Amino acid sequence: MSSANPGTLSPRAVVGEVAAAYRAHWLFLIAAAIVVLLPQALADGFLDHLEFHRVRNAGDVAILAAVPFTVVINLFGQAFYAGLAAAAVIEWRAHRPLPNLRALLRSVPLGRLVLLDLVLTLGTAIGLLLVIIPGLIWLAYFSLAPAIVKVEHAGVWDSLRRSRDLVRGNFWRVLGVVVGTIALTEIIVSAIAAPFDGDVTVTVVNLAADGLLQPVEGLVIVVVALEVLRLRGELPEQAELARAIGDEG
């Protein structure tokens, strides 16, 4: 049962746990982030400056066809990474190494996470177009949904409703911690890449910066979700959390 007064989220505790989980699994998290982000980094580096007034040859057709393909690959990658971040936090809490990659692959609900990622991205984009504020509110209320899918085996719409319910009572702190982290990491990546020129160079720099910072975004979402569940007295037992990431102990 949820508590009528679930308590207040502590940003300091979130930062400490994220830092500890990052230190424990940094090599795995960075390597996985680079693999996941590679298609999008290539797309950003080589397709960003292209302009099409009309399709003139087979090369133009191939480039246009590659755009939705990279979007799909990126959605799958981001969905998979949400599962990896959850595994890193859960196993760090239990003071155990990550389960093998095959177990992690089997445990990630890719279909639900891909659809959820698409809904979150579209909702945020539309909200940001509406004078920015609605997009930030949307992201604050629903940003915990990927962690809920993983931890509670919820469906897409159930995880969105669950995220909204969990955020209530801690809206401003979730806005500051989760949305603030996402915004800050994006700003840092852009600032790092700004002095560089050339598609190849910018792609490499973006990939390196994103690889270092993407784990922070994923870990923050998972840690905040677990902490809010704990405050409400609804955090699953460690054994149940371990099964959620494919670790049978």
Side-chain angles (χ1 to χ4, degrees), residues 21 24-25 28-29 83-93 98 219 245:
H25 299 299
F28 172 80
L29 289 167
L84 299 185
V89 173
I90 290 168
E91 293 299 58
W92 171 80
R93 284 185 164 207
L98 288 166
L219 293 174
I245 60 170

Side-chain angles (χ1 to χ4, degrees), residues 25-190:
H25 299 299
W26 66 271
L27 182 58
F28 172 80
L29 289 167
I30 292 173
I34 289 174
V35 171
V36 163
L37 293 166
L38 182 58
Q40 189 61 40
L42 292 174
D44 290 344
F46 293 99
L47 302 180
D48 189 50
H49 304 299
L50 292 176
E51 296 182 2
F52 288 93
H53 301 290
R54 65 180 185 275
V55 177
R56 293 168 294 183
N57 52 48
D60 291 345
V61 173
I63 292 173
L64 286 172
V67 174
F69 178 75
T70 57
V71 171
V72 171
I73 293 297
N74 186 53
L75 284 172
F76 272 91
Q78 294 288 355
F80 180 58
Y81 199 78
L84 299 185
V89 173
I90 290 168
E91 293 299 58
W92 171 80
R93 284 185 164 207
H95 306 289
R96 294 192 305 218
L98 288 166
N100 63 65
L101 187 58
R102 181 176 298 178
L104 286 174
L105 285 169
R106 286 198 307 265
S107 70
V108 174
L110 269 180
R112 281 174 285 164
L113 285 170
V114 167
L115 180 55
L116 181 58
D117 195 23
L118 183 59
V119 171
L120 289 173
T121 301
L122 288 175
T124 303
I126 293 170
L128 291 176
L129 289 175
L130 300 174
V131 203
I132 298 179
I133 301 300
L136 299 179
I137 294 173
W138 167 275
L139 194 55
Y141 271 119
F142 300 112
S143 60
L144 305 187
I148 299 303
V149 166
K150 185 67 175 164
V151 171
E152 298 189 342
H153 313 285
V156 173
W157 308 117
D158 287 340
S159 68
L160 289 168
R161 286 192 292 268
R162 181 72 160 138
S163 177
R164 178 199 60 198
D165 292 342
L166 290 173
V167 169
R168 285 175 177 168
N170 275 292
F171 172 80
W172 292 109
R173 288 177 182 264
V174 172
L175 179 68
V177 175
V178 177
V179 181
T181 297
I182 293 172
L184 182 60
T185 54
E186 294 300 323
I187 291 171
I188 292 173
V189 170
S190 297

